[in-house]
Amino acid sequence: MIKPEAVAAGHSGKIIDMIIAAGFKIKAMKLTKLSKERAGEFYEVHKERPFYGELVAYMSGGPIVAMALEKDNAVADFRKFIGATDPAEAAEGTIRKRFAKSKGENAVHGSDSDENAAIEIAFHFADSEIVG
Ligand code: CMP
């Protein structure tokens, strides 16, 4: 996902360009806005964390761009490509180094395992919205 503050700042196109240039193939994509309930569901694993309420409010506060991406070793490569959660720790050349504002407003989300990627893709897309 490209997160609300990055979409609002007009960075979606640049981020999509970088994703494609890094070798990821876009299999599905949509601009959408998550309700509080849907954002809460997406981040349910973080329910007990102190920042959960803030995270849900932020992720439901404006449009996001959701994407399903394909590449060999996609999950690990995408996490490397976007950089550390905290932009202060993100490596040079990563998406978060360039676009993230803080640990919370960190421009993009990437799945942390193949299993969660499948769950998160199904959260955003019907099978008919994913190109073969
Ligand atoms: P993401 O990769 O989407 O997964 C969980 C999100 O929680 C993370 O990116 C951040 O946006 C957010 N997050 C993680 N740690 C903190 C924190 N300490 N304070 C606020 N938000 C956080």
Side-chain angles (χ1 to χ4, degrees), residues 1-124:
M1 284 187 283
I2 304 175
K3 296 187 175 186
E5 98 284 0
V7 174
H11 295 321
S12 302
K14 282 169 273 182
I15 292 173
I16 293 165
D17 228 13
M18 288 171 72
I19 289 171
I20 294 168
F24 296 89
K25 192 169 173 194
I26 299 173
K27 303 290 284 184
M29 179 161 68
K30 70 169 74 162
L31 177 73
T32 186
K33 190 166 180 289
L34 299 176
S35 65
K36 267 193 177 162
E37 291 69 29
R38 291 261 298 157
E41 189 190 329
F42 188 89
Y43 281 112
E44 195 142 24
V45 290
H46 296 303
K47 207 170 185 166
E48 305 307 324
R49 305 280 195 98
F51 57 81
Y52 179 71
E54 185 189 325
L55 177 61
V56 168
Y58 155 61
M59 287 303 295
S60 58
I64 56 122
V65 176
M67 276 177 264
L69 303 174
E70 184 177 82
K71 185 181 184 296
D72 286 344
N73 207 29
V75 166
D77 282 3
F78 192 73
R79 289 177 76 76
K80 199 170 165 194
F81 165 71
I82 64 178
T85 303
D86 185 345
E89 292 165 16
E92 283 301 330
T94 61
I95 299 264
R96 283 172 171 163
K97 179 73 180 181
R98 184 161 169 203
F99 298 108
K101 292 183 2 192
S102 66
K103 212 169 177 176
E105 296 191 336
N106 61 357
V108 283
H109 166 81
S111 305
D112 64 4
S113 65
D114 286 352
E115 190 190 359
N116 282 336
I119 293 168
E120 292 176 359
I121 289 168
F123 177 92
H124 285 298

